[in-house]
Amino acid sequence: MSGISGLPLTIVAVPAFKDNYLWLVRRDRYAAVVDPGDAAVIEDALQRLDATLCAIVLTHHHADHTGGVAALQSARNGRLPVFGPAAEAIPGVTAALSGGDRIVVPGIELTLEVIDVPGHTRGHIAYFGSDGIAPILFCGDTLFAGGCGRLFEGTAEQMFASLARLAALPPETLVYCAHEYTANNLRFALVVDPGNALLVEREKDVRALRQENRATVPSSIRLERATNPFLRVSEAAIRASVENEDPGAAKNPVATFAALRAWKDRF
Ligand SMILES: [Zn+2]
């Protein structure tokens, strides 16, 4: 084991666009970036942190997650390793990954396991790390704090299975999702699951954080399992709300999930 992997890992949120978070994962003087939709904000953050970019890690092909890859790469003579999903054609990817793969991000020497999470896009992947660190998850636009991504390319069945895979990770796993959508997600969650005391508390906490313009992520798998309606479609209260909104829709968990996602799209 090289010396660097014993040093602490820090994860820095870099806000971009309207509500994206790009994640810089730093160890010693190196940093990897997850989903750099914008190169300029990453270059600024690297300078501020006095860190050297060592790798790019991508969850899916959308431009707000990949738009900065070319500029970051060309400023470094094309030498960065770029990890991304094998099932999506993303220009610049040098290591194409799918579920079950395990990578060590060079520079920060961070081991990450790849999880297939199709639904938002067809080839979306997530990255889970727990080797020598408290567990972390980079899940792009699949699981959000209090919600989940829209179904742009995949089916409700795929997204349901993808979320179940993430929900099965250790409860203490910190969830680094890619957008600050929490307040809006929890407003919807409260309509669906009004009797959930933990959810009521969480919504208050999040509102207070947003009033101070502070980030509401990372979340944790434990908190999501307790308060995120998209992980709770088997609960009687969620089924009842979905039935009330869309009679006949809560036939089984996948159908309940599909109806809940469609309801959120209209919300
Ligand atoms: Zn996306």
Side-chain angles (χ1 to χ4, degrees):
M1 190 184 265
S2 79
I4 195 172
S5 56
L7 296 173
L9 199 73
T10 53
I11 302 178
V12 179
V14 181
F17 311 117
K18 185 165 159 265
D19 49 32
N20 285 70
Y21 290 126
L22 322 183
W23 297 107
L24 273 177
V25 187
R26 183 185 187 180
R27 190 172 250 165
D28 197 25
R29 61 192 185 84
Y30 293 101
V33 63
V34 182
D35 285 352
D38 181 15
V41 294
I42 293 302
E43 297 289 12
D44 284 351
L46 289 165
Q47 215 161 49
R48 196 172 64 240
L49 297 168
D50 193 21
T52 299
L53 189 63
C54 60
I56 296 174
V57 177
L58 305 174
T59 62
H60 68 295
H61 68 84
H62 284 159
D64 61 323
H65 296 250
T66 58
V69 172
L72 290 170
Q73 196 50 300
S74 71
R76 288 160 186 82
N77 300 316
R79 295 216 178 91
L80 291 174
V82 182
F83 299 96
E88 296 188 354
I90 305 176
V93 167
T94 62
L97 306 172
S98 47
D101 286 343
R102 173 185 277 256
I103 59 170
V104 178
V105 181
I108 55 172
E109 303 303 317
L110 172 65
T111 302
L112 294 172
E113 292 166 40
V114 178
I115 306 171
D116 279 326
V117 287
H120 176 70
T121 60
R122 224 182 317 275
H124 201 306
I125 56 175
Y127 299 85
F128 173 70
S130 64
D131 191 16
I133 54 167
I136 55 176
L137 173 70
F138 297 102
C139 51
D141 289 351
T142 298
L143 175 62
F144 288 124
C148 74
R150 284 176 186 259
L151 301 177
F152 284 126
E153 297 174 10
T155 64
E157 194 151 24
Q158 285 177 320
M159 189 59 140
F160 177 80
S162 295
L163 292 173
R165 242 166 259 148
L166 300 183
L169 293 172
E172 68 274 23
T173 304
L174 293 180
V175 177
Y176 292 88
C177 57
H179 288 272
E180 180 61 67
Y181 287 162
T182 320
N184 179 54
N185 284 340
L186 294 184
R187 263 198 318 119
F188 176 70
L190 270 182
V191 171
V192 178
D193 195 10
N196 183 334
L198 261 174
L199 171 59
V200 171
E201 275 303 296
R202 185 184 189 190
E203 197 272 338
K204 275 191 209 140
D205 293 345
V206 161
R207 236 184 314 135
L209 284 169
R210 293 309 296 153
Q211 268 162 15
E212 295 171 26
N213 205 26
R214 287 163 65 192
T216 64
V217 291
S219 171
S220 70
I221 291 293
R222 176 180 289 111
L223 187 57
E224 294 311 316
R225 289 185 60 139
T227 60
N228 185 329
F230 292 95
L231 301 186
R232 297 167 58 76
V233 294
S234 299
E235 299 286 324
I238 309 284
R239 281 208 316 268
S241 289
V242 167
E243 270 298 313
N244 190 49
E245 169 74 12
D246 189 353
K251 288 188 292 289
N252 57 56
V254 173
T256 307
F257 174 79
L260 186 65
R261 183 58 261 183
W263 183 5
K264 176 66 164 60
D265 289 347
R266 302 190 295 270
F267 184 70

